[in-house]
Amino acid sequence: MISMSKNDGVSSINKNVHMGHRKRVRERFLQTGLYGFDEHQILEMILFYCVPRRDTNVLAHRLIDRFGSLSAVLDAEADELKPFGLSENAAVLFRMIPASTDLYFSAPPSEMIYDSQDKVRRLFRSLFSNDRFEIYIACFRNDMSLITTKLIYAGRRFSADVNKMSRREYAEYTSRPEFEGFPVENFSFRSIVEAALGCGSSNVIAAHNHLYSSPMPYSDEVETIKKLRELLSDLEIDLADYVIVGDAVEMTFRNNDLYDIFPREI
């Protein structure tokens, strides 16, 4: 007869719970992408693939506490990761992520066709900072393959680390007047027009962001987007869409029934 101690049973249960956790995290990512994930949760999932038998949630917290952010962890040297029990393979994996992202968004036209709003949302989500207001423009060929992206406006950076704030601190910080909508007075039509003409493209998509809030536009933003579409149309340049990147989601305005910005497609 094979006997099993009480401790062996607890160990087995804990192991099964841990394995189930990894599966649930992967399924969540497949269903929603990274929206709603905190930085430590993203790192936790990355660590699944180089740390087979450890609690990667605790390790992810330790790494971000040490380096300050997910991007800083991904840029860390192998020697800096060794004290955390990570091998050179982990450092290589970390470095591959930003490198492959750069390659992904500079792919040849045949491999990068932005033929859906979901692809457009992901493109702009990857471009924007989370600590300053920005405007970007993306230029496309006739088949909606990407030519280039260009930063049009970048505001001052806000130094607070919202990832380390309590809920109360976050609510107080993000309710400050300077975060209430995009500062449209900094919207330079001339810079956008010059960038669009410089791309040599007849199809462009522009975007700006909302810090710490939803992508729902303010009335002055709607009027600004309308004016931009009209200006570009006079130059025979099609504003194919406009995107506002919010704190967790993006809003596209093409075929959006809430705002009369683009002519309805029949």
Side-chain angles (χ1 to χ4, degrees):
M1 177 182 293
I2 300 175
S3 63
M4 184 176 69
S5 69
K6 183 177 180 180
N7 288 338
D8 289 336
V10 172
S11 176
S12 177
I13 291 171
N14 288 340
K15 181 179 179 181
N16 289 335
V17 169
H18 181 67
M19 292 175 63
H21 171 70
R22 291 192 174 199
K23 181 180 178 181
R24 288 191 295 273
V25 172
R26 285 193 291 263
E27 288 176 347
R28 176 187 170 191
F29 168 72
L30 291 174
Q31 292 173 359
T32 67
L34 293 176
Y35 302 141
F37 277 74
D38 293 327
E39 284 199 340
H40 76 271
Q41 293 173 316
I42 298 172
L43 181 56
E44 174 191 3
M45 186 167 60
I46 294 171
L47 289 166
F48 289 171
Y49 302 96
C50 55
V51 181
R53 294 182 181 87
R54 282 177 65 184
D55 184 345
T56 56
N57 183 281
V58 172
L59 179 56
H61 274 289
R62 289 181 58 210
L63 286 165
I64 288 181
D65 287 344
R66 162 63 179 82
F67 293 99
S69 68
L70 174 61
S71 61
V73 175
L74 297 181
D75 288 335
E77 299 291 343
D79 289 344
E80 297 177 295
L81 297 172
K82 285 181 180 179
F84 296 88
L86 293 174
S87 66
E88 185 176 353
N89 286 339
V92 172
L93 174 63
F94 289 176
R95 290 295 186 85
M96 285 177 61
I97 293 171
S100 60
T101 299
D102 291 342
L103 181 62
Y104 178 80
F105 285 109
S106 62
S110 60
E111 299 177 22
M112 185 58 63
I113 307 296
Y114 287 86
D115 54 0
S116 72
Q117 288 181 317
D118 185 53
K119 291 180 181 179
V120 170
R121 290 188 188 100
R122 292 204 305 268
L123 168 64
F124 284 107
R125 171 61 63 181
S126 72
L127 295 175
F128 280 93
S129 304
N130 61 4
D131 60 356
R132 68 180 182 183
F133 289 113
E134 296 173 336
I135 301 173
Y136 272 93
I137 186 173
C139 300
F140 301 89
R141 298 176 179 86
N142 289 334
D143 63 354
M144 290 305 292
S145 59
L146 182 65
I147 298 174
T148 188
T149 60
K150 184 175 179 61
L151 178 63
I152 300 297
Y153 166 78
R156 69 179 180 90
R157 292 192 180 278
F158 297 97
S159 58
D161 187 349
V162 296
N163 294 317
K164 295 181 180 179
M165 292 181 179
S166 67
R167 290 187 177 181
R168 180 175 179 178
E169 289 172 334
Y170 180 87
E172 291 176 350
Y173 181 74
T174 58
S175 64
R176 291 161 56 178
E178 57 262 45
F179 299 140
E180 295 180 359
F182 186 89
V184 293
E185 64 270 15
N186 295 312
F187 205 97
S188 172
F189 292 102
R190 177 173 180 174
S191 296
I192 293 176
V193 169
E194 288 177 348
L197 292 172
C199 291
S201 170
S202 58
N203 298 304
V204 300
I205 298 178
H208 71 264
N209 61 339
H210 282 180
L211 293 178
Y212 318 122
S213 64
S214 81
M216 297 295 289
Y218 291 78
S219 59
D220 56 349
E221 293 176 321
V222 172
E223 293 306 312
T224 298
I225 297 170
K226 287 181 179 179
K227 183 176 179 181
L228 176 63
R229 188 187 70 80
E230 293 168 359
L231 285 172
L232 291 174
S233 179
D234 289 341
L235 297 170
E236 299 183 348
I237 298 174
D238 179 36
L239 184 64
D241 206 339
Y242 197 97
V243 182
I244 295 181
V245 176
D247 184 37
V249 296
E250 307 79 36
M251 174 177 285
T252 58
F253 287 84
R254 174 72 71 175
N255 299 328
N256 191 319
D257 293 333
L258 296 176
Y259 306 98
D260 185 24
I261 294 177
F262 293 91
R264 293 184 180 276
E265 297 180 0
I266 301 175

